[in-house]
Amino acid sequence: MSEDRELTRLENEWKNRFDRFTAPEPSREQTLDLLQKIKAVEEVKPVDLRFKLESHQDTQSMSARTVNLFLSQWNFHGTRSWLLTGIIMLILTLTISQNIGNEVAGFSTWIKWVTLFMIAVMGYAFRTKNEGNQLIETLSYYPLTVQMFMRFMIVMALQLAITLPLSFIILGATNSIYYLLGSFTPVLFFGVIGFVSTIWLGQKIGLLLALFVWFSQTLFEKQHQSASLFQLPENEGFLLMNIVVMGISILLLGTVTLKYRQMRDLT
């Protein structure tokens, strides 16, 4: 019974306190001051760094943007990687030239290894480094397809710059414009295969597809000589095959514009 009385007393006590409580009415000056503070907070917005970066990029010339794009993608290889690539290519060339006496047979073996190495370089150029790099690529000012195309151009330019001089070590005095063409076309083709298949199918499937084409060409070269990508100038269909391969390479590169439009429409 005493507990009921105590509870009733406490209830009345708190009820009286709530009844007496009234919120103080703000003055006119306080209301105007509060509005000014709210207005000041709205005017001070955080700096949009991405907007500032894009505005700065838009003011640059096309050449300056291309240089910036080149430098951003150069980081995926860097000087050290290309020096290592050149050293491996030189060792490969010297090894073949020293162990195969006939220049033509040496060239045939050499160009197959060079194109296989080209596929490995393409796989390295488009490898998945880590989640952080993927985020940087995705959030970059430049579209992902454009970044990959610039990386492809870097790989192709430097790979050809390394390959063509080395062909003189293999062929010596027998080298000619046709053998240079025979070096250029297969390297271009497998570079395009690696790049385009990576764009459409992803890095792993693209690499496997390029390897599949290379092994198919190597294993069935003798059975299907006329369809071989590794034609020699002595072969009857040398020029025709090179023209066809270049045409296919250009068409495959043209499909990259479709992929670019697809990715642009999705964003």
Side-chain angles (χ1 to χ4, degrees):
M1 189 65 183
S2 59
E3 291 182 354
D4 292 339
R5 288 180 179 176
E6 181 63 18
L7 289 174
T8 303
R9 186 186 66 78
L10 290 173
E11 183 180 359
N12 292 330
E13 181 181 348
W14 282 103
K15 184 178 179 181
N16 292 331
R17 290 185 182 182
F18 284 128
D19 289 342
R20 290 197 302 272
F21 178 78
T22 54
E25 182 180 357
S27 64
R28 183 173 181 277
E29 289 74 13
Q30 288 176 323
T31 303
L32 292 175
D33 183 58
L34 179 61
L35 291 174
Q36 289 296 329
K37 288 180 179 178
I38 293 173
K39 187 177 180 181
V41 170
E42 289 181 348
E43 289 177 350
V44 181
K45 295 180 179 177
V47 178
D48 190 342
L49 296 177
R50 183 177 179 84
F51 176 76
K52 289 185 67 176
L53 174 63
E54 291 180 350
S55 300
H56 175 68
Q57 295 275 10
D58 291 339
T59 60
Q60 292 183 328
S61 63
M62 183 59 71
S63 59
R65 290 188 206 178
T66 305
V67 170
N68 288 335
L69 177 59
F70 170 81
L71 293 176
S72 67
Q73 299 308 303
W74 178 262
N75 293 328
F76 281 88
H77 273 283
T79 308
R80 186 187 302 175
S81 298
W82 281 110
L83 283 175
L84 182 62
T85 301
I87 291 171
I88 294 175
M89 290 281 286
L90 181 61
I91 293 173
L92 175 67
T93 304
L94 292 175
T95 302
I96 293 175
S97 65
Q98 293 297 319
N99 290 281
I100 299 181
N102 184 279
E103 289 84 357
V104 175
F107 177 80
S108 180
T109 303
W110 176 75
I111 194 60
K112 291 170 187 170
W113 280 101
V114 165
T115 49
L116 181 61
F117 191 69
M118 178 73 193
I119 295 172
V121 172
M122 292 299 292
Y124 177 76
F126 296 110
R127 72 193 185 284
T128 303
K129 294 184 74 173
N130 52 51
E131 189 176 353
N133 280 83
Q134 287 182 331
L135 287 173
I136 291 173
E137 283 184 331
T138 305
L139 297 175
S140 172
Y141 170 80
Y142 303 102
L144 184 59
T145 309
V146 176
Q147 295 180 63
M148 293 179 71
F149 183 75
M150 175 55 73
R151 225 177 300 164
F152 164 72
M153 293 297 292
I154 292 173
V155 171
M156 288 305 306
L158 292 176
Q159 194 71 14
L160 289 171
I162 295 171
T163 301
L164 296 180
L166 292 180
S167 67
F168 288 91
I169 297 178
I170 288 290
L171 293 165
T174 61
N175 205 345
S176 67
I177 189 67
Y178 291 109
Y179 277 106
L180 290 178
L181 180 63
S183 303
F184 173 80
T185 306
V187 172
L188 172 69
F189 178 76
F190 282 103
V192 170
I193 285 288
F195 169 62
V196 174
S197 57
T198 299
I199 284 282
W200 283 101
L201 306 172
Q203 190 262 340
K204 291 182 180 178
I205 298 178
L207 181 61
L208 290 175
L209 182 61
L211 287 173
F212 173 77
V213 175
W214 187 88
F215 277 105
S216 299
Q217 282 289 317
T218 304
L219 293 176
F220 299 105
E221 181 185 13
K222 292 182 179 178
Q223 292 86 338
H224 306 283
Q225 180 65 43
S226 59
S228 173
L229 294 171
F230 306 112
Q231 297 274 348
L232 296 173
E234 291 78 7
N235 298 133
E236 186 178 350
F238 172 77
L239 283 177
L240 177 61
M241 177 54 70
N242 277 269
I243 292 171
V244 170
V245 170
M246 284 190 184
I248 293 173
S249 300
I250 293 171
L251 290 175
L252 288 174
L253 281 176
T255 65
V256 176
T257 59
L258 299 176
K259 186 65 176 178
Y260 172 71
R261 290 174 184 171
Q262 282 186 1
M263 296 182 72
R264 185 188 60 186
D265 294 341
L266 290 175
T267 57

